[in-house]
PDB file of all heavy atoms in Angstrom:
ATOM      1  N   TYR A 300     292.651  95.926 250.796  1.00 98.00           N
ATOM      2  CA  TYR A 300     292.122  97.141 250.194  1.00 98.00           C
ATOM      3  C   TYR A 300     292.913  97.586 248.977  1.00 98.00           C
ATOM      4  O   TYR A 300     294.070  97.199 248.772  1.00 98.00           O
ATOM      5  CB  TYR A 300     292.075  98.271 251.230  1.00 98.00           C
ATOM      6  CG  TYR A 300     293.420  98.573 251.872  1.00 98.00           C
ATOM      7  CD1 TYR A 300     294.323  99.444 251.273  1.00 98.00           C
ATOM      8  CD2 TYR A 300     293.782  97.976 253.087  1.00 98.00           C
ATOM      9  CE1 TYR A 300     295.554  99.716 251.861  1.00 98.00           C
ATOM     10  CE2 TYR A 300     295.001  98.239 253.667  1.00 98.00           C
ATOM     11  CZ  TYR A 300     295.886  99.110 253.048  1.00 98.00           C
ATOM     12  OH  TYR A 300     297.108  99.366 253.626  1.00 98.00           O
ATOM     13  N   LEU A 301     292.255  98.392 248.195  1.00 98.00           N
ATOM     14  CA  LEU A 301     292.829  99.083 247.039  1.00 98.00           C
ATOM     15  C   LEU A 301     292.746 100.564 247.385  1.00 98.00           C
ATOM     16  O   LEU A 301     291.660 101.066 247.677  1.00 98.00           O
ATOM     17  CB  LEU A 301     291.992  98.764 245.797  1.00 98.00           C
ATOM     18  CG  LEU A 301     292.409  99.296 244.443  1.00 98.00           C
ATOM     19  CD1 LEU A 301     293.698  98.645 243.977  1.00 98.00           C
ATOM     20  CD2 LEU A 301     291.291  99.029 243.424  1.00 98.00           C
ATOM     21  N   CYS A 302     293.871 101.257 247.403  1.00 98.00           N
ATOM     22  CA  CYS A 302     293.841 102.643 247.877  1.00 98.00           C
ATOM     23  C   CYS A 302     294.322 103.625 246.814  1.00 98.00           C
ATOM     24  O   CYS A 302     294.945 103.246 245.827  1.00 98.00           O
ATOM     25  CB  CYS A 302     294.682 102.795 249.147  1.00 98.00           C
ATOM     26  SG  CYS A 302     296.469 102.693 248.884  1.00 98.00           S
ATOM     27  N   ARG A 303     293.998 104.885 247.047  1.00 98.00           N
ATOM     28  CA  ARG A 303     294.531 105.993 246.258  1.00 98.00           C
ATOM     29  C   ARG A 303     295.677 106.579 247.089  1.00 98.00           C
ATOM     30  O   ARG A 303     295.434 107.294 248.068  1.00 98.00           O
ATOM     31  CB  ARG A 303     293.433 107.014 245.982  1.00 98.00           C
ATOM     32  CG  ARG A 303     292.278 106.435 245.170  1.00 98.00           C
ATOM     33  CD  ARG A 303     291.198 107.457 244.904  1.00 98.00           C
ATOM     34  NE  ARG A 303     291.685 108.529 244.031  1.00 98.00           N
ATOM     35  CZ  ARG A 303     290.949 109.574 243.650  1.00 98.00           C
ATOM     36  NH1 ARG A 303     289.702 109.678 244.077  1.00 98.00           N
ATOM     37  NH2 ARG A 303     291.449 110.491 242.865  1.00 98.00           N
ATOM     38  N   PRO A 304     296.920 106.274 246.757  1.00 98.00           N
ATOM     39  CA  PRO A 304     298.050 106.583 247.635  1.00 98.00           C
ATOM     40  C   PRO A 304     298.149 108.042 248.058  1.00 98.00           C
ATOM     41  O   PRO A 304     298.537 108.334 249.198  1.00 98.00           O
ATOM     42  CB  PRO A 304     299.269 106.162 246.800  1.00 98.00           C
ATOM     43  CG  PRO A 304     298.755 105.120 245.873  1.00 98.00           C
ATOM     44  CD  PRO A 304     297.350 105.550 245.543  1.00 98.00           C
ATOM     45  N   GLU A 305     297.781 108.971 247.167  1.00 97.00           N
ATOM     46  CA  GLU A 305     297.952 110.389 247.494  1.00 97.00           C
ATOM     47  C   GLU A 305     297.029 110.841 248.618  1.00 97.00           C
ATOM     48  O   GLU A 305     297.219 111.932 249.181  1.00 97.00           O
ATOM     49  CB  GLU A 305     297.744 111.255 246.245  1.00 97.00           C
ATOM     50  CG  GLU A 305     296.309 111.384 245.771  1.00 97.00           C
ATOM     51  CD  GLU A 305     295.855 110.244 244.851  1.00 97.00           C
ATOM     52  OE1 GLU A 305     296.543 109.199 244.823  1.00 97.00           O
ATOM     53  OE2 GLU A 305     294.827 110.404 244.169  1.00 97.00           O
ATOM     54  N   TYR A 306     296.017 110.025 248.968  1.00 98.00           N
ATOM     55  CA  TYR A 306     295.106 110.372 250.053  1.00 98.00           C
ATOM     56  C   TYR A 306     295.443 109.650 251.360  1.00 98.00           C
ATOM     57  O   TYR A 306     294.732 109.802 252.350  1.00 98.00           O
ATOM     58  CB  TYR A 306     293.664 110.047 249.668  1.00 98.00           C
ATOM     59  CG  TYR A 306     293.118 110.858 248.520  1.00 98.00           C
ATOM     60  CD1 TYR A 306     292.166 110.328 247.656  1.00 98.00           C
ATOM     61  CD2 TYR A 306     293.546 112.167 248.301  1.00 98.00           C
ATOM     62  CE1 TYR A 306     291.666 111.079 246.593  1.00 98.00           C
ATOM     63  CE2 TYR A 306     293.052 112.917 247.249  1.00 98.00           C
ATOM     64  CZ  TYR A 306     292.111 112.369 246.397  1.00 98.00           C
ATOM     65  OH  TYR A 306     291.621 113.117 245.351  1.00 98.00           O
ATOM     66  N   VAL A 307     296.507 108.838 251.363  1.00 98.00           N
ATOM     67  CA  VAL A 307     296.827 107.998 252.519  1.00 98.00           C
ATOM     68  C   VAL A 307     298.075 108.527 253.221  1.00 98.00           C
ATOM     69  O   VAL A 307     299.058 108.887 252.575  1.00 98.00           O
ATOM     70  CB  VAL A 307     297.050 106.532 252.082  1.00 98.00           C
ATOM     71  CG1 VAL A 307     297.421 105.664 253.283  1.00 98.00           C
ATOM     72  CG2 VAL A 307     295.791 105.983 251.409  1.00 98.00           C
ATOM     73  N   VAL A 308     298.022 108.540 254.552  1.00 98.00           N
ATOM     74  CA  VAL A 308     299.180 108.929 255.354  1.00 98.00           C
ATOM     75  C   VAL A 308     299.868 107.698 255.926  1.00 98.00           C
ATOM     76  O   VAL A 308     301.091 107.566 255.863  1.00 98.00           O
ATOM     77  CB  VAL A 308     298.759 109.881 256.494  1.00 98.00           C
ATOM     78  CG1 VAL A 308     299.948 110.205 257.398  1.00 98.00           C
ATOM     79  CG2 VAL A 308     298.159 111.162 255.932  1.00 98.00           C
ATOM     80  N   GLU A 309     299.077 106.775 256.502  1.00 98.00           N
ATOM     81  CA  GLU A 309     299.654 105.571 257.110  1.00 98.00           C
ATOM     82  C   GLU A 309     298.829 104.343 256.736  1.00 98.00           C
ATOM     83  O   GLU A 309     297.625 104.288 257.001  1.00 98.00           O
ATOM     84  CB  GLU A 309     299.714 105.706 258.632  1.00 98.00           C
ATOM     85  CG  GLU A 309     300.323 104.509 259.330  1.00 98.00           C
ATOM     86  CD  GLU A 309     300.298 104.621 260.844  1.00 98.00           C
ATOM     87  OE1 GLU A 309     300.371 105.756 261.358  1.00 98.00           O
ATOM     88  OE2 GLU A 309     300.202 103.570 261.515  1.00 98.00           O
ATOM     89  N   ALA A 310     299.497 103.380 256.118  1.00 98.00           N
ATOM     90  CA  ALA A 310     298.829 102.156 255.676  1.00 98.00           C
ATOM     91  C   ALA A 310     298.991 101.054 256.708  1.00 98.00           C
ATOM     92  O   ALA A 310     300.064 100.894 257.302  1.00 98.00           O
ATOM     93  CB  ALA A 310     299.408 101.699 254.337  1.00 98.00           C
ATOM     94  N   GLY A 311     297.925 100.285 256.907  1.00 98.00           N
ATOM     95  CA  GLY A 311     297.983  99.098 257.745  1.00 98.00           C
ATOM     96  C   GLY A 311     297.891  97.850 256.886  1.00 98.00           C
ATOM     97  O   GLY A 311     297.876  97.917 255.655  1.00 98.00           O
TER      98      GLY A 311
END
Side-chain angles (χ1 to χ4, degrees):
Y300 57 86
L301 183 68
C302 72
R303 298 180 66 181
E305 73 275 16
Y306 295 149
V307 178
V308 176
E309 181 184 329

